[in-house]
Amino acid sequence: MQLLVDGQDTLGECVLWCDRTQRVLWTDIQRSVLYAHTPASGETRSWPMPERLCCFALTDDDQRLLLGLASGLALFDFASGELTRICAVAPEQPGTRLNDGRCDRQGRFVFGMFNEADNPKEAIGAFYRLNADLTLERLPLPPAAIANSICFSPDGRTMYFTDSQDGAIRCCDYDPLTGALGPHRVFVAAGVVGGEPDGSTIDAQGCLWNARWGASQVVRFTPDGKVERVLALPVPQPSCAAIGGPGLDTLFVTSARKEMSATRLDAAPQSGGLFAQQLDVRGLPESRFRLSTLKIGLVGLGKIALDQHIPAIRNNRQLELVAACSPRSTVDGLAVYRSLDEMLQAHPEIEAVAICTPPQVRQAIAEAAIAAGRHVFLEKPPAATLGEGDALQALAAARGVTVLAGWHSRFAPGVEPARDWMAARSIASIRIEWRENVRQWHPGQRWIFEPGGMGVFDPGINSLSILTRLLGGGVVVQGAELRVPANCNEPIQAELRMQGGAGVAVEAHFDFLQEGVQTWSIHVAAASGETMALHMGGKVMEVDGKVVLDEPEREYPRMYEHFARLVAARQSDLDMAPLRAVADARLVGKHVTVAPFVE
C-alpha cells in the first residue's frame, strides 16, 4: 500500500471520498484539523477546528460538512469558514466524546461515543442518529467504550458497528425507511483476525473493509463474515478505510502515531500518513446528509388542505411550501395559481406535489405531476378506483418518482402499539364503530355524495386503513348493506361483514347521521378474553377497559415525515387495501334506498 500524504497525524480518522469534488477528506482528531487532498493535482488543504473533530459527513451542499466534534454536532462552511452549532451530545457524560460516524443510505447521520473517563474500558457511550429534521435520537444498541466501524450494506438494510474494546464486529437489521433497528448479532467474532476493529466501509458487492488497529492490516469480510483478503500496511495503527477515486476503485486508509514510542516510530516512520491502493472492486458513493428542504406545491385548497396539510408542511423543517393551485381559493402569504401547469411553470423548483382535491379528479392531476417528474402525495383515498391506483403505481415506477397514499389514520399514536398488542395474541373478533355528522364534517360538500365521492366511506375508509394495518394485510368482505339516500349516489350509512387473516371475524358500522360527538372506535377481542380498543381515531388506546395511551394527534405531521423519508429513499407507499375493501363492499353489498338527504 502506497503512502499518499505524509501527514504524520496523531490520530488520523474518518476518511471519506467526495465524488463531486474528487477529493479525499479526513481528520486528525487530536490536532483538531480537517484535511482534504485532491489526487489529480496533489494539493492538500487543511482547516483548523475549534475542538477535536472526531467524524463528519458530506451533505447535499458541496460547500458544507456535517461535523461530529468532540462535544456535539455542527455544520461547517468551506467558503466562509463559518461553523454553526446544531446540538451538544451527551453533556451529562463529560467523560465521553464523539467518535466514529457515517450516514445511512437515506442520509441520516449515525454515530457513537468514546469513553475518555477514568475507566476508559467501561462501555458507557451510546449510539445516536441525527435525523434530517435535526432531531437527535439515541439508538437501542448496547453501550460501547469505543464505538467504531459504523457502516451500512448497499441496500441500507443492515447496519454494522463495533465496540473496539470488545473486539467483535456486530450487525443488525435496519429499516432504511423508518430507521428501526432489529436485534443485533455477531458479524465477525473477536480474535478471528489480529488487532482491534476500527473504521470500516462497504463496497458495491456488500463486503466490509475494516482497518485493524494494532495489526498493520485492512481486512475485507464477505457479507457472511468470512475473511476474503488481508492487505498489509507499513504502519501498526491503521484507523479507518474508505473507497473512492475517479473510478471508485481506490482504497484510502488513515493511520495514527498516537502513543507510539520513538523506537516504534523509527520502525514505522510513515505512521500517521494517508495510504492508498488500487482495487479490483468498486466502492459506493458516500451517502450525504440532506440539508436542503423538499419543495412542495399544493393542489386544492379545501378544508383538509387548510386545516391539516398547510400546517404540517410549514411546521416541518425538512419541507418548504412553495405555492398552491386552486380554481377559486386563495391563502394569505402563499402564491396561488389556477392550475397545476401554471404553478409548475412559475415554480420549476417544486419537487413534490400534494393533491388534496376530491377523489374524482385526482387521477388526471397526479398523472400530470408524475409525468413532469414530481413526487406525489395523494390525500386519501388515493384514487377513485383500483384501476386508477394501479395506473399511478406503474407510472410512478416508470418515472422513478415517489407516490404516497395518504392514509393519515394509520399515523395515529395508538395504531402501532395496538398492532403490537394484537401480534402477541390470538384475535377472535374486531368491531368497528365509525359514526359522525356529515353536516358538521363536510358542510356544503355535495361532491361527497356524487359518483366517486364515497359517501360515508370517506370517513369509514379511515377505519379500514387502520384495520388493514393492524391485520398486516387486506380483508375479505363477505357481505354489506349500503343505505343510499334517494337523492344521492353514495351511501350515507353502511354495515360490513369481513374476515381477516386466521379467520378473524370483523364487522364495521359506518354512519354519517350521528349527532353530537363523533364515534371513531375499533374494538378488538382476543381469544383469551382480553380486550383492546382504539378511540378517537386511534388517539386513545384502552386495554381491558383502562386507558393505556392518550397522546396528542399528529397524523399529518407524521405522514409528511414519512413522505420525506420515502422521497429520500426513492420509494413509494401506494397501498390500495383500504380502497379494495370499499370496492368489494360495493360489489357484494345490498343497496337499500332510504330517505333523501337534506343539508
Side-chain angles (χ1 to χ4, degrees):
M1 196 170 293
Q2 300 297 310
L3 180 67
L4 184 64
V5 178
D6 188 9
Q8 299 190 12
D9 296 332
T10 304
L11 183 54
E13 271 285 6
C14 192
V15 60
L16 297 178
W17 173 260
C18 179
D19 57 316
R20 296 180 185 172
T21 61
Q22 292 289 294
R23 61 185 184 179
V24 58
L25 300 100
W26 74 100
T27 176
D28 184 344
I29 295 178
Q30 297 302 88
R31 292 195 293 188
S32 305
V33 179
L34 169 69
Y35 292 99
H37 176 78
T38 305
S41 66
E43 179 189 21
T44 302
R45 294 191 60 188
S46 64
W47 295 264
M49 294 289 131
E51 59 176 302
R52 288 174 295 173
L53 174 60
C54 307
C55 56
F56 55 88
L58 305 177
T59 73
D60 54 8
D61 180 348
D62 292 340
Q63 288 300 314
R64 291 196 287 176
L65 282 184
L66 174 64
L67 304 183
L69 300 167
S71 65
L73 300 168
L75 289 170
F76 175 69
D77 189 298
F78 281 110
S80 67
E82 181 181 0
L83 188 145
T84 305
R85 300 276 180 171
I86 297 173
C87 64
V89 178
E92 73 282 1
Q93 289 184 310
T96 64
R97 66 162 172 83
L98 272 73
N99 199 46
D100 189 48
R102 275 274 198 304
C103 281
D104 66 15
R105 298 299 174 197
Q106 278 62 53
R108 295 162 293 205
F109 188 57
V110 179
F111 62 93
M113 306 299 286
F114 186 108
N115 181 7
E116 296 184 307
D118 294 337
N119 184 4
K121 293 188 177 182
E122 185 178 358
I124 62 172
F127 291 83
Y128 296 89
R129 178 169 57 213
L130 182 70
N131 296 309
D133 62 357
L134 301 185
T135 57
L136 185 68
E137 62 177 312
R138 182 169 176 166
L139 299 180
L141 292 172
I146 306 176
N148 255 318
S149 200
I150 297 171
C151 54
F152 297 85
S153 60
D155 64 2
R157 295 186 178 278
T158 303
M159 174 183 168
Y160 299 91
F161 63 98
T162 189
D163 181 349
S164 294
Q165 294 278 22
D166 170 77
I169 301 177
R170 290 177 165 79
C171 64
C172 64
D173 291 342
Y174 190 93
D175 189 317
L177 189 59
T178 66
L181 279 67
H184 63 88
R185 56 194 182 274
V186 173
F187 173 65
V188 177
V192 170
V193 292
E196 297 177 1
D198 208 321
S200 293
T201 191
I202 296 288
D203 64 29
Q205 297 176 8
C207 294
L208 183 147
W209 298 74
N210 178 239
R212 307 298 297 187
W213 180 275
S216 305
Q217 297 175 345
V218 171
V219 180
R220 185 187 193 225
F221 297 99
T222 61
D224 59 356
K226 301 292 192 300
V227 175
E228 189 271 340
R229 72 181 74 173
V230 177
L231 302 182
L233 286 92
V235 294
Q237 296 178 162
S239 53
C240 192
I243 301 175
L248 287 177
D249 56 0
T250 301
L251 179 69
F252 297 102
V253 183
T254 49
S255 64
R257 302 167 70 87
K258 179 183 177 184
E259 297 176 356
M260 290 179 64
S261 66
T263 301
R264 293 183 70 201
L265 287 172
D266 287 342
Q270 295 177 336
S271 292
L274 175 69
F275 294 84
Q277 179 166 321
Q278 195 77 17
L279 299 176
D280 58 356
V281 297
R282 287 172 55 84
L284 295 165
E286 194 68 34
S287 297
R288 294 171 178 269
F289 189 82
R290 179 166 181 146
L291 292 173
S292 59
T293 56
L294 178 64
K295 295 175 173 57
I296 296 179
L298 195 62
V299 181
L301 289 173
K303 179 177 173 59
I304 196 70
L306 299 175
D307 292 351
Q308 299 291 350
H309 287 263
I310 291 177
I313 296 170
R314 285 180 167 170
N315 290 323
N316 188 321
R317 288 186 293 184
Q318 296 176 258
L319 311 176
E320 179 185 348
L321 181 58
V322 175
C325 63
S326 171
R328 290 174 296 276
S329 302
T330 60
V331 174
D332 289 343
L334 183 66
V336 179
Y337 301 87
R338 295 307 167 211
S339 69
L340 173 68
D341 184 62
E342 185 181 342
M343 181 178 71
L344 294 183
Q345 285 191 21
H347 297 279
E349 73 274 18
I350 289 175
E351 302 167 86
V353 172
I355 302 175
C356 309
T357 65
Q360 297 97 319
V361 298
R362 282 185 199 150
Q363 175 77 4
I365 298 170
E367 285 185 347
I370 293 171
R374 268 59 172 197
H375 308 289
V376 171
F377 181 133
L378 293 160
E379 174 59 45
K380 64 85 189 173
T385 68
L386 294 173
E388 287 184 1
D390 290 343
L392 290 178
Q393 184 88 280
L395 182 60
R399 292 287 296 173
V401 300
T402 291
V403 60
L404 169 66
W407 302 118
H408 61 85
S409 293
R410 287 182 172 177
F411 295 87
V415 173
E416 292 307 308
R419 191 169 187 256
D420 293 340
W421 185 92
M422 290 174 61
R425 293 162 177 82
S426 175
I427 304 303
S429 64
I430 300 174
R431 187 180 84 258
I432 298 172
E433 300 284 347
W434 221 259
R435 307 173 187 272
E436 64 182 55
N437 187 344
V438 66
R439 296 177 177 90
Q440 174 187 349
W441 291 94
H442 296 275
Q445 296 180 8
R446 287 292 303 180
W447 61 263
I448 206 163
F449 288 116
E450 296 300 323
M454 299 191 70
V456 75
F457 284 118
D458 181 81
I461 204 169
N462 293 333
S463 70
L464 296 175
S465 72
I466 295 176
L467 174 68
T468 50
R469 176 61 184 166
L470 295 179
L471 293 174
V475 293
V476 176
V477 179
Q478 298 175 318
E481 180 172 295
L482 312 181
R483 299 167 194 147
V484 182
N487 60 341
C488 299
N489 291 98
E490 297 290 344
I492 201 163
Q493 294 171 320
E495 310 284 335
L496 277 66
R497 289 184 296 104
M498 298 171 281
Q499 186 177 81
V504 176
V506 183
E507 61 181 69
H509 308 275
F510 301 150
D511 187 356
F512 239 166
L513 297 175
Q514 173 160 300
E515 297 184 354
V517 179
Q518 67 276 5
T519 301
W520 298 329
S521 297
I522 299 178
H523 302 266
V524 181
S528 63
E530 298 169 282
T531 62
M532 183 274 294
L534 292 174
H535 301 298
M536 295 302 295
K539 177 181 178 295
V540 177
M541 177 180 174
E542 286 182 354
V543 173
D544 294 329
K546 296 181 180 179
V547 174
V548 297
L549 181 149
D550 185 354
E551 295 184 4
E553 182 273 315
R554 289 192 68 250
E555 293 177 11
Y556 278 82
R558 291 185 63 207
M559 192 162 49
Y560 269 101
E561 292 164 8
H562 180 56
F563 183 54
R565 290 193 296 266
L566 285 169
V567 170
R570 288 299 190 268
Q571 296 180 14
S572 290
D573 181 3
L574 188 56
D575 180 17
M576 301 299 287
L579 187 60
R580 182 169 288 106
V582 173
D584 288 350
R586 293 174 182 273
L587 286 172
V588 304
K590 178 182 178 182
H591 293 246
V592 178
T593 301
V594 296
F597 172 71
V598 179
E599 177 76 23

